[in-house]
Amino acid sequence: MLEINNLHVKLEEEDKIILRGVNLKIGAGEVHAIMGPNGSGKSTLSYVLSGRDGYEVTEGSAKLEGAELLEMEPEARAAAGLFLAFQYPVEIPGVGNMTFLRTAVNAQRKARGEAEISAGDFLKLVREKAKALQIDAEMLKRPVNVGFSGGEKKRNEILQMAMLEPKMCILDETDSGLDVDAMKLVAEGVNALRGAGRSFLVITHYQRLLDHIKPDFVHIMAAGRIIKTGGPELALEVENNGYADLLAEGV
Amino acid sequence: MAVLQSKQDALQARIAALSFAPQGWLGAARSDALARLTAMGLPGKRDEYWRYTDPTGLNAVEAASVNLFDPGDEPAPFSGVDRLKIVFVDGVFDASQSDALALEGVKIERLSDAAEADIHWASGLYGVLETRGQSPVQRPFAALNSAFAGDGLLIRVTQTPSKPISLIYQHKAMTSDVILHHCIKVESGAEVTILENGAAAARLNHVMEIEVADGARFHHIRAQGRAHTRQAVTHLFARIGRNAAFKSFTLTANGRLTRNDAVLELLGADSVAHVAGAALGDGDFHHDDTVFITHAAERCESRQVFKKVLKNGAIGVFQGKILVKQGAQKTDGYQISQALMLDGDSQFLAKPELEIYADDVKCSHGSTSGAIDETALFYLRSRGVPLRQAQSLLVLAFLAEAISEIEDDVISEDIRQRLQSWLARHEH
């Protein structure tokens, strides 16, 4: 599904190297988790994959089902099936959540040469998916993320994911700022989308999210590289011992 | 203070070719206006309220020639609205294109037809509200308008009519120099919507005096012409009674020079005065909203909501004032002026003013200028929305607060469509 090879990235504005040769291969239907200390490059990886400005790829490639992501505009990556659930979902005053969702769904359909979804079908679909995430009609009407609590914002991200049905989902610290109940709700939303060949890359600081979203593989990232890969037990090891031992090993 | 000789000469030159018709009640009003104008002279760059907008083009003896604008296949504004259509061609009423001036609950007369009467209800409005609006800020072009208006309508609304009254200003002569003056009286308990659209002329001077009686409601939605090189100076003067509402929205897309003044007086308790505008400029565009709202009664609410989208050196100006008089307690005044700069070449000049003589009031004002929010843009694109569409969506979102001042859904959708098409035409 996703194949990252020897990815090197620096900040565009300054000579600061963030990623120093990331290699990662995610198969169809697999769930991978990336953990790592602050500043290790986890969020940068998610931004670079989704096409945010401000980064320069100096070497390497990232392919989604064989197509080079790094040469595409952000909207083309989305249409190709990539989705990033933001760590800090963006507030957009003046744009209704419903309008936003419908615009996005139809833009992707159009990019793929499919017909637009009818207003009636869309409404039915969004209500059904919103209900599962406990997102009420009021939240759908309000401007995108404006006045939403931290938990509401994250649920709204998962709703977008459910509506857009991407192939490759990246969750950037989706658990940050969530209480236990909200985290469960979000995890249930994610788990409902698992299967059907859909792959996930879950970026997190803490093992607790991985109690709810069970990964097939866990990677430890440090100083812009993946230094260790293992199964779910690796996350537990981090939880118990911290990163220090792993970092020492990785050097 | 005596007006400088040079200013006096400029004024004489400016009005030399204008025809002056001193007959009937209107003649007296015109003579008074001419006296006011002569005492003021034409505005200059040194005048406080003309610092950001150069009046040279408006002061010039002749209107600069303007290429006629072809709107292509875009439908005319308000096409989908059931309305009474009244057409002016280069500032002259055109009966052949207009509907019959008959609408239940409303009396509509042409200024020239009403002028010769000895007494007329409009004698209590024509030039009267304009005169009130000359202090503390002088508005010479409004006085010039009252003195020399070539045409206009006197509209008296006694009962709420079944549909809006739509004034359509066609521009057909490249050098047309037009002065239009309307008076509208909305009687107690009545409600009316006035629509205006069209470029009108190469140079337009427009005045509308509006009396909103106790318990009456007045709605005004205007789409100024899209001709790039036209010039316009407009004034709305309103006197608002008790428990009444005045709401005006203006869409301005293009125009080398537009100066829109609104002078509103809240004279009765529990009333509202809202004035809003969305202005879009690309390149040679200068748009100035100058608003003066006076709260002279208790528990009134006023809103000024002005949004401008500027690119390629376009200039936006906002001068907005809220004056709360002594005794106007529980006033709720709100003022916001914002510019969205689509590039680094444009300019936004804002001068918000509050002057408050009551001690139990709520007044807020804000003014900002900024670029499109890059984070929001990326967020939209990451969901698959193409760059241009994402930009348009964010521009419309920026304008939303102004558009939401329009109460009628069909009309606000019409305005939204026009904004959208403008954005599509002016993509990078």
Side-chain angles (χ1 to χ4, degrees):
Chain A
M1 177 65 68
L2 181 69
E3 198 172 337
I4 303 170
N5 276 310
N6 193 30
L7 186 62
H8 287 71
V9 171
K10 72 186 245 325
L11 285 184
E12 222 166 49
E13 299 284 305
E14 40 188 314
D15 259 346
K16 189 174 172 190
I17 299 166
I18 314 273
L19 299 182
R20 302 164 186 269
V22 173
N23 292 293
L24 182 64
K25 201 170 168 180
I26 300 176
E30 290 175 1
V31 176
H32 290 235
I34 292 190
M35 301 179 76
N38 290 330
S40 57
K42 307 185 298 295
S43 286
T44 295
L45 178 62
S46 71
Y47 286 143
V48 168
L49 291 175
S50 55
R52 189 176 188 141
D53 281 345
Y55 302 99
E56 191 187 327
V57 175
T58 51
E59 211 181 324
S61 74
K63 289 180 175 164
L64 183 68
E65 292 188 310
E68 181 55 75
L69 281 177
L70 302 178
E71 286 167 7
M72 297 182 202
E73 295 295 333
E75 52 268 37
R77 301 181 196 202
L82 186 79
F83 181 91
L84 169 65
F86 281 54
Q87 181 179 2
Y88 303 109
V90 180
E91 296 185 4
I92 313 182
V95 178
N97 210 10
M98 201 75 118
T99 307
F100 167 65
L101 279 169
R102 205 168 124 201
T103 306
V105 168
N106 280 331
Q108 293 204 11
R109 290 173 83 110
K110 199 173 157 193
R112 291 192 291 258
E114 300 163 12
E116 290 197 353
I117 188 167
S118 79
D121 288 350
F122 172 80
L123 207 61
K124 218 174 120 189
L125 197 65
V126 78
R127 282 201 181 129
E128 178 193 311
K129 299 202 186 270
K131 200 176 164 197
L133 288 157
Q134 294 182 16
I135 290 173
D136 59 24
E138 186 53 35
M139 259 175 79
L140 290 172
K141 265 191 255 161
R142 269 151 55 187
V144 180
N145 293 323
V146 177
F148 285 28
S149 71
E152 286 173 336
K153 284 182 180 170
K154 297 297 171 78
R155 275 186 276 148
N156 204 28
E157 293 292 290
I158 307 303
L159 174 65
Q160 291 165 35
M161 194 159 93
M163 290 299 298
L164 294 168
E165 301 186 323
K167 296 170 185 161
M168 177 72 231
C169 309
I170 304 171
L171 276 62
D172 186 10
E173 300 201 22
T174 293
D175 51 339
S176 71
L178 294 187
D179 61 34
V180 180
D181 292 334
M183 189 165 68
K184 261 189 199 162
L185 203 59
V186 164
E188 278 165 22
V190 171
N191 288 331
L193 292 168
R194 285 179 76 159
R198 185 169 295 133
S199 309
F200 289 84
L201 179 61
V202 181
I203 295 171
T204 183
H205 272 291
Y206 304 106
Q207 194 268 336
R208 60 180 185 176
L209 178 67
L210 305 179
D211 284 342
H212 301 288
I213 305 173
K214 297 256 183 316
D216 300 304
F217 299 93
V218 173
H219 310 276
I220 306 298
M221 193 157 176
R225 271 193 206 101
I226 287 173
I227 56 165
K228 187 161 186 176
T229 294
E233 73 286 348
L234 187 55
L236 280 171
E237 195 184 323
V238 169
E239 183 78 0
N240 296 332
N241 307 330
Y243 292 115
D245 296 350
L246 292 166
L247 293 182
E249 269 177 52
V251 171
Chain B
M1 190 172 68
V3 174
L4 291 172
Q5 189 58 43
S6 58
K7 256 196 156 183
Q8 223 24 278
D9 293 346
L11 175 62
Q12 290 314 318
R14 172 74 176 83
I15 63 179
L18 300 173
S19 64
F20 187 72
Q23 75 273 48
W25 65 271
L26 187 58
R30 288 184 187 278
S31 299
D32 290 351
L34 184 55
R36 282 195 294 283
L37 176 62
T38 309
M40 284 184 262
L42 293 167
K45 282 290 281 174
R46 287 192 177 171
D47 293 330
E48 166 93 18
Y49 283 85
W50 288 93
R51 269 193 203 153
Y52 302 139
T53 297
D54 182 356
T56 304
L58 299 171
N59 287 339
V61 173
E62 286 177 350
S65 173
V66 165
N67 288 327
L68 298 182
F69 186 77
D70 176 9
D73 53 6
E74 187 180 52
F78 315 125
S79 302
V81 179
D82 181 25
R83 61 207 160 123
L84 183 84
K85 284 193 267 188
I86 304 177
V87 178
F88 291 81
V89 177
D90 290 310
V92 180
F93 171 70
D94 182 356
S96 68
Q97 291 192 76
S98 302
D99 293 335
L101 300 186
L103 187 62
E104 184 139 4
V106 184
K107 185 162 191 221
I108 305 171
E109 287 170 275
R110 222 179 136 183
L111 191 58
S112 52
D113 294 339
E116 296 193 28
D118 288 333
I119 42 170
H120 196 280
W121 64 265
S123 66
L125 274 189
Y126 191 101
V128 174
L129 300 194
E130 176 252 298
T131 304
R132 292 178 69 95
Q134 295 291 359
S135 171
V137 179
Q138 292 188 338
R139 304 175 201 275
F141 292 118
L144 184 143
N145 183 304
S146 296
F148 297 102
D151 210 334
L153 297 175
L154 306 174
I155 302 175
R156 187 175 191 178
V157 184
T158 48
Q159 283 169 50
T160 303
S162 58
K163 52 187 170 187
I165 298 164
S166 174
L167 312 181
I168 299 159
Y169 305 127
Q170 295 177 358
H171 173 208
K172 293 196 170 164
M174 287 170 70
T175 55
S176 55
D177 191 9
V178 165
I179 305 179
L180 278 172
H181 194 121
H182 307 302
C183 291
I184 298 166
K185 188 170 187 177
V186 193
E187 300 280 10
S188 188
E191 178 165 10
V192 71
T193 299
I194 304 286
L195 307 173
E196 292 185 286
N197 73 274
R203 182 169 70 178
L204 170 68
N205 181 331
H206 169 285
V207 163
M208 190 183 273
E209 292 175 286
I210 307 124
E211 168 140 30
V212 189
D214 294 350
R217 297 177 73 81
F218 174 81
H219 305 270
H220 174 234
I221 299 99
R222 165 166 69 172
Q224 292 180 303
R226 269 171 44 208
H228 286 279
T229 48
R230 62 151 185 82
Q231 302 181 81
V233 55
T234 79
H235 291 81
L236 299 173
F237 295 98
R239 182 160 68 182
I240 302 153
R242 175 184 285 267
N243 199 19
F246 173 99
K247 296 192 174 184
S248 173
F249 171 91
T250 299
L251 164 67
T252 310
N254 310 336
R256 182 172 65 196
L257 176 61
T258 308
R259 164 76 174 243
N260 292 334
D261 280 30
V263 185
L264 316 176
E265 281 188 283
L266 288 153
L267 297 174
D270 301 300
S271 290
V272 299
H274 292 189
V275 55
L280 306 165
D282 183 353
D284 189 9
F285 174 85
H286 184 107
H287 182 89
D288 177 338
D289 284 301
T290 295
V291 180
F292 197 115
I293 297 185
T294 303
H295 284 257
E298 289 186 321
R299 298 182 304 277
C300 288
E301 177 208 282
S302 70
R303 286 171 66 83
Q304 303 175 35
V305 182
F306 289 91
K307 306 267 183 158
K308 300 183 205 293
V309 177
L310 308 170
K311 64 186 287 193
N312 287 325
I315 297 171
V317 176
F318 173 77
Q319 309 183 93
K321 177 153 180 171
I322 307 174
L323 168 65
V324 181
K325 289 197 168 175
Q326 210 168 7
Q329 302 294 13
K330 306 284 180 194
T331 284
D332 182 357
Y334 173 77
Q335 181 194 85
I336 183 99
S337 65
Q338 294 180 306
L340 183 64
M341 321 288 226
L342 296 182
D343 53 40
D345 302 331
S346 301
Q347 263 190 74
F348 179 52
L349 304 152
K351 191 176 72 172
E353 292 178 279
L354 299 178
E355 192 175 334
I356 302 174
Y357 297 99
D359 57 8
D360 184 14
V361 304
K362 191 171 92 184
C363 280
S364 60
H365 68 94
S367 184
T368 64
S369 58
I372 277 201
D373 180 351
E374 288 296 327
T375 322
L377 197 61
F378 173 64
Y379 192 60
L380 285 163
R381 295 178 77 190
S382 79
R383 298 306 181 240
V385 183
L387 176 63
R388 298 248 160 89
Q389 198 184 350
Q391 282 169 335
S392 288
L393 204 58
L394 291 175
V395 175
L396 285 173
F398 166 77
L399 296 168
E401 187 186 2
I403 303 166
S404 70
E405 289 291 330
I406 304 170
E407 283 184 19
D408 184 282
D409 289 342
V410 176
I411 296 172
S412 67
E413 187 50 37
D414 186 299
I415 295 291
R416 199 170 288 114
Q417 286 298 331
R418 317 196 81 71
L419 291 166
Q420 221 150 13
S421 348
W422 188 93
L423 291 169
R425 283 191 302 271
H426 293 264
E427 277 172 352
H428 295 281

